[in-house]
Amino acid sequence: MKKILFIITIFFTISIYSQEIQFVKEYGKVNYRDNNGSEINKSAKSYLYFYEKGKVKIKIINTINLTLFFTKIEKKELIGIQTTFFEGIDSNDNNIRGFYTNKNFTLLGETSTLILDKE
């Protein structure tokens, strides 16, 4: 009985968690530099998971896992391209700002720079 209850609880938790995701974008190229000087500039399978309430999870396979929390979002059209500018914090309490379009996602923070480009 405990096993069945445990499985039901996990399934319910996963279903609620997955419903929070609004959309996912896949990227092919990553440029990243952190405060330790580590740099990546290569092709790498990467995903951005956009959640409700301004939360974004960046997953680059076997490399980087960041969670961002947007506190301000503003949409503008620049040179015919719909661009979303944002401000917020990351999971290490660093202030972040950046922007994204349908082709790239650029994050500028106190300690890191991350640019993802679609191929």
Side-chain angles (χ1 to χ4, degrees):
M1 183 66 180
K2 286 183 179 180
K3 285 183 179 180
I4 293 173
L5 185 59
F6 179 72
I7 291 170
I8 290 172
T9 303
I10 287 180
F11 178 77
F12 185 70
T13 304
I14 290 173
S15 65
I16 289 174
Y17 183 73
S18 63
Q19 286 174 5
E20 291 181 354
I21 298 175
Q22 291 182 323
F23 59 95
V24 180
K25 286 188 178 182
E26 180 180 328
Y27 292 80
K29 184 176 180 183
V30 181
N31 299 288
Y32 177 77
R33 183 188 300 272
D34 64 18
N35 56 344
N36 296 321
S38 302
E39 185 174 355
I40 299 168
N41 186 358
K42 63 181 182 181
S43 294
K45 187 68 73 176
S46 53
Y47 301 92
L48 264 60
Y49 297 85
F50 290 80
Y51 294 82
E52 292 178 3
K53 300 178 183 176
K55 177 182 171 185
V56 174
K57 184 79 172 179
I58 298 174
K59 173 65 176 172
I60 302 171
I61 304 303
N62 299 326
T63 308
I64 301 166
N65 228 331
L66 293 175
T67 303
L68 314 177
F69 301 91
F70 295 166
T71 56
K72 181 181 176 183
I73 298 174
E74 184 178 355
K75 296 187 178 184
K76 294 183 179 178
E77 188 167 314
L78 296 179
I79 317 172
I81 299 172
Q82 184 69 30
T83 304
T84 302
F85 295 88
F86 58 83
E87 295 177 7
I89 59 171
D90 65 13
S91 44
N92 296 322
D93 290 331
N94 296 311
N95 290 324
I96 59 165
R97 60 190 174 83
F99 64 89
Y100 63 90
T101 69
N102 63 336
K103 291 192 176 179
N104 67 56
F105 184 100
T106 301
L107 165 67
L108 304 172
E110 290 180 342
T111 59
S112 63
T113 300
L114 173 69
I115 301 172
L116 306 177
D117 296 308
K118 278 191 176 180
E119 289 184 330

